[in-house]
Every structure is written in C-alpha cells, then in structure tokens.
Amino acid sequence: MTNNTAAWKAEVEDTAAKLQALAEADSLIIPIYTDLHTSSLKGESFRLLIQGLKEISAIRKPNAVISLGDNLSMLGRTEHASNARIRELLTGIFDQTADAVGDVPCYILHGNHDGLGTDFFDREFWYSIVGNHYDNQKARREGHSAYFYVDEQKSHSRLIFLSLPSGSDVEAELPTPLWEFGDIQLKWLAETALNPESMQEIQNIILFCHVPFTTPSESGVMTAKLGVWTGVRAAESYIKALCGWISDREEAEKILKAYASHTAYHEEKRNIHADYTAAKAPLIACISGHNHNDRVILPGQQNGTHPNHLPCPQILIGGADPRVNPELREQIQIGVSMDILIFTPSKGRLSLIRLGDGEDREYAAQV
C-alpha cells in the first residue's frame, strides 16, 4: 500500500470539488463508512477515516455521519477480548467520529462484529455504548432497540435503520448470531417506521441495513467450525453461521413491496397490520455494507446469483479498510474507503462520492 501527503491532498481536493459541484440547497450530505474491521485506534485506515471526516466537514458541513457496522475486527478469535475492551474500542471509534464532525449527528448501526467477543450481538450491551449518545436526540427508537428512524427536514427524508443480527444465542453449545429481523422489529417497520400517518412532511425514504437484502435467506450446509469467544468463555461455532443471512428476509420484502405498491400488509401469525394506501414517500434505496464490495443493484437485477427483490435499488458499500475488499486490495493507493452520499430530491439524483480507494457512483432516484 502506498500513501503519501501529496496523494492524500489530491484525493481530498478532488472529492471537495465534486462535492461542491453536486451539492444543492436541498441536498442531504452524509459521509458513510462501513466494515472498518479494526483492532486499534491507531490503525492507518482509521486515522485516515477520521482525517477525511475532518477535512470534508471543513469544506462542507454534512447533515450527518453514518456507520454501517463491523467496526471491529474479530478480536474474539485473535484474542479473548474482554467486554470492557470491546466497549473501550467502540466508544473510542464513535467518540473520534463525533469529534471529527463537530455538532453533526452520528447514526450508528451495528454489524455482526460489534458485540460480545466481537462475534455476538447483545442489544443492551450495544445500547449502553451507543444509546442516544451520538445522534443529537434525533433517532426515534423503540425502547432500547438497535433499530430506529430519523427524519431529515432539509430533504424531507426519513432514514430507516434496521438491526441485523437481532441478537445472539451465546448459551448454546455452538453459539450463533440470530440472523433475523425478528417479529418485533418487522412489526415496528410495518406499523411505525413506514406508517403514512407519521410522514406528513416526508417525501423520500432511504433504508440502511448492515447486511444486504440480496443475502440468501438460508444458511446452507454447516461443515467447518471456528474457535470463538463469547465474552466469558471459549467455544466453537460454524463458520457458515457466523457469516450472515436473513432468515425472515422475504417477510421484510413483502412489507416493503406492500408499501411501495400502496396496498395493505397483514400477517396474522406475526400480528402485523398496516395500510399503505395513503403512502406517498417513495423508497429511494437500501444501503448496506457487510459484503466488502461496491455494487448498485437495481430492482430485479442479480448480485451474483441472488436477485434484488426490493422495489428500490440496493447500494452496497465496500469496507472502510480497503484491504477487506477483494476488488481493491491489490490496487490500494490511499488506504481508506469512505462514501459521501449526496441525495438531491429536486434533481432526482443520488450520488456517492468516494473519498479514497474505489469509484464514484450515481443513479437517478425515483422521486
């Protein structure tokens, strides 16, 4: 990897010029990073990430900053990291992120490596670290939920953040994350986050989720195992079970399709009842990390062998540390990858400017 002052300066100047050219009065501007996979607050990718946030914020103050999860590397496998160490690292990452952008709210999602032993998500542990500490009290949560939504008045947009995995079974002989949204979160999505009556001033919806919806809903055959740490004991888990899927993906898709088609959604078994006939704010995109690569997958298109069943594009963002991105790791020039989302409703345009390694992306939103 090569990194020098001149290359970084040129990258920042190029990003700033694009930002100034694309941003309009009604633009929603949000730097997004994901899959940092760090084990230290002194790592080069993390240092450049914070430096980039500072420099971009000095040029054009963003509306928010988003972390899509997997901030930590798999410390439970490389070391038996205590819960106190996990807390210290996560708090350090988010504190420095918040400090880099001043009074700008930070909306923080967890991944599957942001919890006990870094492999097992626990809602209360996560809430005790993140809670409402970084979002300037803008996140609308359900109790201590890791899922929430935010209304951005400037662009008349609702940002919906989904939690996955929804928990973990750390007491099982083979501990595993719970790869599902779960009935409680699906009910919240259908009846609260997408409730047309709560969106009188909302004209656009953007979804965020650590795991893409193109991820298969079945785990496949369990074979090889890997040593893990639950925060209190050493154990083994199936590698396949740690990699992630969405077991109730189809139910979430049905809810989003019903919303997009202005119809009702009823699921008696899950006790979910929603009427979207008055819905008016379109689904602009679903933005995810987890897969460590960059993709824009339009409705009906394939991501490998897996189609996008959502009624909106799915946008995948590669890791903040480009070494985890198989398409970038052989050609790293800068050493960090961060996207700056610019959503401009008046132009019907969603752009992602890349600061660091990787490419810019843009598509015409359906507004």
Side-chain angles (χ1 to χ4, degrees):
M1 173 172 60
T2 62
N3 180 47
N4 56 65
T5 302
W8 175 256
K9 182 179 179 181
E11 181 68 15
V12 171
E13 289 177 349
D14 180 62
T15 303
K18 293 174 181 175
L19 177 59
Q20 297 284 39
L22 287 171
E24 304 281 351
D26 65 329
S27 293
L28 185 65
I29 301 173
I30 303 181
I32 303 173
Y33 67 88
T34 188
D35 295 270
L36 181 62
H37 286 279
T38 190
S39 58
S40 169
L41 300 182
K42 297 180 180 180
E44 180 67 359
S45 289
F46 179 62
R47 183 187 71 80
L48 287 172
L49 177 70
I50 298 303
Q51 183 177 340
L53 286 171
K54 289 179 179 178
E55 297 196 33
I56 294 301
S57 297
I59 296 165
R60 179 71 179 253
K61 186 176 180 178
N63 299 96
V65 175
I66 291 175
S67 167
L68 288 177
D70 275 8
N71 297 278
L72 300 182
S73 62
M74 294 158 280
L75 299 180
R77 305 175 199 180
T78 57
E79 61 179 274
H80 288 174
S82 67
N83 293 341
R85 173 160 162 74
I86 300 300
R87 180 188 300 276
E88 179 184 16
L89 284 170
L90 288 173
T91 299
I93 291 171
F94 304 146
D95 281 352
Q96 289 195 42
T97 296
D99 289 344
V101 294
D103 60 350
V104 171
C106 302
Y107 305 136
I108 301 170
L109 268 182
H110 68 89
N112 46 301
H113 299 307
D114 291 312
L116 311 178
T118 64
D119 281 321
F120 303 105
F121 178 68
D122 179 86
R123 185 192 68 175
E124 291 299 331
F125 181 68
W126 176 255
Y127 185 83
S128 71
I129 297 169
V130 176
N132 291 315
H133 306 318
Y134 302 101
D135 58 29
N136 294 1
Q137 306 299 310
K138 293 184 68 174
R140 298 293 177 261
R141 299 179 186 272
E142 190 174 55
H144 288 182
S145 70
Y147 52 84
F148 57 95
Y149 74 80
V150 175
D151 288 342
E152 292 288 347
Q153 295 180 349
K154 182 179 180 180
S155 62
H156 301 287
S157 300
R158 175 165 292 183
L159 313 181
I160 299 176
F161 297 83
L162 300 175
S163 169
L164 197 83
S166 61
S168 298
D169 185 355
V170 295
E171 301 301 326
E173 180 180 356
L174 300 176
T176 180
L178 301 179
W179 291 106
E180 61 181 16
F181 296 119
D183 290 356
I184 294 174
Q185 183 174 185
L186 289 176
K187 183 177 178 65
W188 170 86
L189 173 64
E191 298 182 355
T192 301
L194 291 174
N195 186 341
E197 294 183 1
S198 70
M199 291 190 278
Q200 299 303 312
E201 303 299 324
I202 300 301
Q203 300 173 11
N204 313 282
I205 296 174
I206 303 177
L207 301 165
F208 298 89
C209 184
H210 176 68
V211 180
F213 272 76
T214 51
T215 302
S217 58
E218 296 182 0
S219 62
V221 178
M222 300 288 184
T223 53
K225 297 177 184 177
L226 191 70
V228 295
W229 175 249
T230 69
V232 295
R233 67 183 177 93
E236 282 191 322
S237 294
Y238 286 113
I239 295 175
K240 191 76 174 178
L242 295 169
C243 293
W245 60 88
I246 310 176
S247 62
D248 50 10
R249 171 181 58 81
E250 293 182 2
E251 289 304 317
E253 289 172 344
K254 289 177 182 177
I255 293 170
L256 295 169
K257 288 178 180 177
Y259 176 85
S261 61
H262 308 288
T263 57
Y265 175 85
H266 297 290
E267 174 39 78
E268 297 297 335
K269 181 179 178 181
R270 301 174 190 269
N271 188 29
I272 301 174
H273 305 278
D275 183 355
Y276 301 128
T277 53
K280 62 178 182 179
L283 301 175
I284 301 301
C286 181
I287 301 177
S288 303
H290 187 65
N291 280 18
H292 301 169
N293 57 13
D294 301 307
R295 294 285 186 275
V296 175
I297 314 160
L298 299 179
Q301 287 186 341
Q302 302 277 124
N303 179 28
T305 59
H306 311 301
N308 175 14
H309 291 297
L310 293 184
C312 65
Q314 291 194 54
I315 299 175
L316 277 60
I317 294 178
D321 183 344
R323 289 175 298 178
V324 305
N325 187 332
E327 297 167 350
L328 293 180
R329 67 168 62 114
E330 301 301 326
Q331 50 185 353
I332 295 174
Q333 298 296 318
I334 302 297
V336 71
S337 294
M338 176 173 61
D339 282 282
I340 304 171
L341 180 150
I342 306 176
F343 173 54
T344 307
S346 62
K347 300 289 186 180
R349 183 180 65 208
L350 189 153
S351 304
L352 289 172
I353 301 173
R354 176 60 55 85
L355 174 63
D357 297 293
E359 303 296 331
D360 299 338
R361 290 169 287 167
E362 182 175 314
Y363 78 92
Q366 296 178 356
V367 298

